């Protein structure tokens, strides 16, 4: 449905409650009562006449999300033991652009085939109305929704949903297979349990949205979701603290999975700006990390102070050789064979055995960003 200015007011009102409600109060939320019926011009998968969700004015106390100061060490797991290897193959090796998305109203994993048809029809209709789609002269679009079962880590996590858009060029031969022109997926891995339990039963939280493909198609997909499920999307840039965490977590994996390298990139506020690439021998990086968080430690939790000490150690070593204060700049990228992450919200999954660690951190980032 199209949102009025009053809906926007209640949206921001809800966010204020979400951020400042005292910790420890109950998290039970009542499902909104029936509301006046509103009419929409197009449905693309939902009734043209239906009651608005009014999620943002739901009464009750909502859980507070806090930025963790510690987290568990990265653990290797053979993810293909519980997730279809073909589904995992869809997620690794590609570069993904990150967004966050608010809870989806009346989203059902049992209706994915129907959503495929409605999103396909929506894209075609928008293109016929003159919306530019940057994939060439296509004869049509085929949309496929896939439930990626097994990535969820808790009972509160919703199962991951993968979306693929294929297109066939007008002048393609009959035997030519359609070409994949866009991919995306929504996920929630180890989402904050208090927050997830606080949601009304008609809402599903898949806060992390990863996309790969033309921005024009990403915009159309987001638009369809917003109309169909009363949600909102926003860009998800990462910060240096998140990159620091990944550098430490991935380095800690070196004894069990050779990370091959630890590459870091800083941007320094000089005139003109100075970009510094810093590649650390993996064994040297691990020995520094091990001196801060010993491998034989019985504590599986890593504290943010240990992470900061690790990054400070790397910066000190760099200064000793090049007399450049990296701490004066901003860490913008971290990369190992396990994956990479960039400050602008782009990530790549290099090894599926540690995918849970990465998605847990990114789910946390998405939920925190949604609340700001």
């Amino acid at each position: 449905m199209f949102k009025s200015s009053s809906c926007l007011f209640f949206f921001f009102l809800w966010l204020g409650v979400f951020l400042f409600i005292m910790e420890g109060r109950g998290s039970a939320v009542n499902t909104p009562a029936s509301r006046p019926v509103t009419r929409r011009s197009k449905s693309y998968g939902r009734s043209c006449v239906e009651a608005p969700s009014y999620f943002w004015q739901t009464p009750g106390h909502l859980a507070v999300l806090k930025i963790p100061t510690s987290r568990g060490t990265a653990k290797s797991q053979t993810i293909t033991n519980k997730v279809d290897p073909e589904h995992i193959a869809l997620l690794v090796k590609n570069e993904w652009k990150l967004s966050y998305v608010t809870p989806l109203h009346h989203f059902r994993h049992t209706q994915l085939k129907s959503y495929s048809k409605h999103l396909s029809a929506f894209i075609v209709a928008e293109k016929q109305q003159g919306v530019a789609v940057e994939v060439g002269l296509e004869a049509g679009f085929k949309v496929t929704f896939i439930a990626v079962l097994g990535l969820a880590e808790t009972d509160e996590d919703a199962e991951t949903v993968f979306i693929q858009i294929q297109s066939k060029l007008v002048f393609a031969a009959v035997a030519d297979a359609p070409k994949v022109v866009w991919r995306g997926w929504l996920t929630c891995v180890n989402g904050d349990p208090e927050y997830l339990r606080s949601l009304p039963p008609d809402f599903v939280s898949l806060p992390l949205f990863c996309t790969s493909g033309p921005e024009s198609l990403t915009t159309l997909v987001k638009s369809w979701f917003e109309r169909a499920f009363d949600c909102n999307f926003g860009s998800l840039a990462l910060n240096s603290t998140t990159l620091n965490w990944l550098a430490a977590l991935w380095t800690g994996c070196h004894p069990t999975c050779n990370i091959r390298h630890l590459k870091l990139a800083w941007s320094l506020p000089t005139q003109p700006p100075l970009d510094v690439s810093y590649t650390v021998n993996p064994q040297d990086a691990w020995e520094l990390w091990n001196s801060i968080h010993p491998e034989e430690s019985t504590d599986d939790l890593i504290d943010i102070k240990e992470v900061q000490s690790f990054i400070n150690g790397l910066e000190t070593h760099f200064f000793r050789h090049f007399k450049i204060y990296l701490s004066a700049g901003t860490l913008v990228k971290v990369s190992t064979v396990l994956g990479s992450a960039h400050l602008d919200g782009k990530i790549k999954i290099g090894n599926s055995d540690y995918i849970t660690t990465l998605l847990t951190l990114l789910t946390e980032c998405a939920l925190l960003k949604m609340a700001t």
Side-chain angles (χ1 to χ4, degrees):
M1 66 193 67
F2 298 107
K3 298 176 176 59
S4 65
S5 59
S6 63
C7 289
L8 289 175
F9 168 77
F10 287 119
F11 169 75
F12 290 111
L13 178 63
W14 181 88
L15 287 182
V17 175
F18 177 79
L19 286 170
F20 295 110
I21 194 74
M22 291 178 60
E23 183 180 9
R25 299 177 67 180
S27 60
V29 180
N30 296 322
T31 303
S34 58
R35 302 292 182 179
V37 171
T38 57
R39 185 176 298 272
R40 301 185 305 171
S41 59
K42 292 184 180 181
S43 65
Y44 298 109
R46 294 176 61 185
S47 170
C48 292
V49 181
E50 60 182 32
S53 68
Y54 284 82
F55 172 65
W56 305 118
Q57 38 181 314
T58 301
H61 306 311
L62 296 174
V64 175
L65 292 178
K66 298 194 302 181
I67 300 175
T69 58
S70 63
R71 65 180 70 252
T73 57
K75 301 293 186 183
S76 173
Q77 57 174 316
T78 307
I79 197 71
T80 51
N81 286 342
K82 62 176 185 174
V83 183
D84 188 330
E86 292 186 3
H87 290 170
I88 287 295
L90 297 171
L91 309 183
V92 299
K93 306 304 181 182
N94 290 313
E95 183 176 74
W96 304 100
K97 177 68 175 176
L98 305 179
S99 302
Y100 70 87
V101 56
T102 58
L104 311 176
H105 188 225
H106 286 313
F107 181 89
R108 298 290 181 268
H109 284 75
T110 56
Q111 299 296 315
L112 297 186
K113 286 187 178 180
S114 175
Y115 299 157
S116 299
K117 295 177 182 178
H118 288 299
L119 178 53
S120 179
F122 177 77
I123 293 173
V124 171
E126 293 296 299
K127 189 172 184 301
Q128 289 174 347
Q129 293 181 17
V131 176
V133 180
E134 306 160 11
V135 293
L137 297 172
E138 58 287 309
F141 296 94
K142 178 184 177 182
V143 178
T144 305
F145 278 67
I146 302 169
V148 180
L149 305 179
L151 279 180
E153 287 288 302
T154 69
D155 291 339
E156 286 78 20
D157 290 342
E159 293 288 4
T160 297
V161 174
F162 187 87
I163 308 164
Q164 181 170 273
I165 300 177
Q166 295 174 294
S167 178
K168 194 168 184 177
L169 298 180
V170 173
F171 302 108
V174 175
D176 289 349
K179 178 184 178 183
V180 176
V181 294
W182 187 93
R183 293 185 175 98
W185 44 296
L186 302 103
T187 192
C188 180
V189 178
N190 283 315
D192 184 272
E194 283 191 70
Y195 167 72
L196 296 176
R197 284 194 292 265
S198 77
L199 295 175
D202 286 341
F203 287 85
V204 172
S205 183
L206 289 164
L208 180 63
F209 185 47
C210 309
T211 61
S212 176
E215 186 61 32
S216 57
L217 279 176
T218 298
T219 300
L220 286 177
V221 172
K222 288 180 177 179
S223 178
W224 179 80
F225 267 92
E226 289 174 345
R227 298 187 190 199
F229 304 110
D230 296 337
C231 59
N232 290 280
F233 289 84
S235 60
L236 180 59
L238 304 178
N239 57 39
S240 292
T241 300
T242 300
L243 300 185
N244 289 345
W245 271 111
L246 286 173
L249 289 167
W250 283 338
T251 298
C253 300
H254 183 62
T256 56
C257 177
N258 186 351
I259 64 171
R260 297 187 187 175
H261 58 258
L262 174 62
K263 292 183 179 180
L264 306 123
W266 272 265
S267 178
L268 300 180
T270 59
Q271 291 298 329
L274 177 64
D275 296 325
V276 177
S277 295
Y278 184 12
T279 301
V280 185
N281 178 280
Q283 186 63 27
D284 292 342
W286 182 80
E287 288 177 1
L288 172 61
W289 174 246
N290 192 55
S291 69
I292 297 168
H293 187 89
E295 185 180 18
E296 61 273 12
S297 172
T298 57
D299 188 1
D300 281 341
L301 288 179
I302 298 173
D303 189 82
I304 184 62
K305 293 181 180 179
E306 294 178 301
V307 174
Q308 292 169 341
S309 295
F310 176 63
I311 297 300
N312 290 342
L314 294 173
E315 292 174 341
T316 299
H317 178 78
F318 191 87
F319 177 80
R320 191 177 300 123
H321 288 276
F322 301 102
K323 301 299 184 278
I324 294 176
Y325 287 104
L326 294 176
S327 58
T330 302
L331 180 63
V332 297
K333 186 177 182 180
V334 58
S335 172
T336 73
V337 74
L338 302 182
S340 65
H342 196 284
L343 202 68
D344 64 4
K346 292 180 181 178
I347 62 107
K348 182 179 288 187
I349 302 166
N351 186 316
S352 63
D353 289 350
Y354 293 91
I355 192 173
T356 299
T357 296
L358 176 59
L359 295 185
T360 296
L361 183 58
L362 295 179
T363 296
E364 174 191 296
C365 292
L367 288 173
L368 289 169
K369 182 66 175 180
M370 187 180 70
T372 59

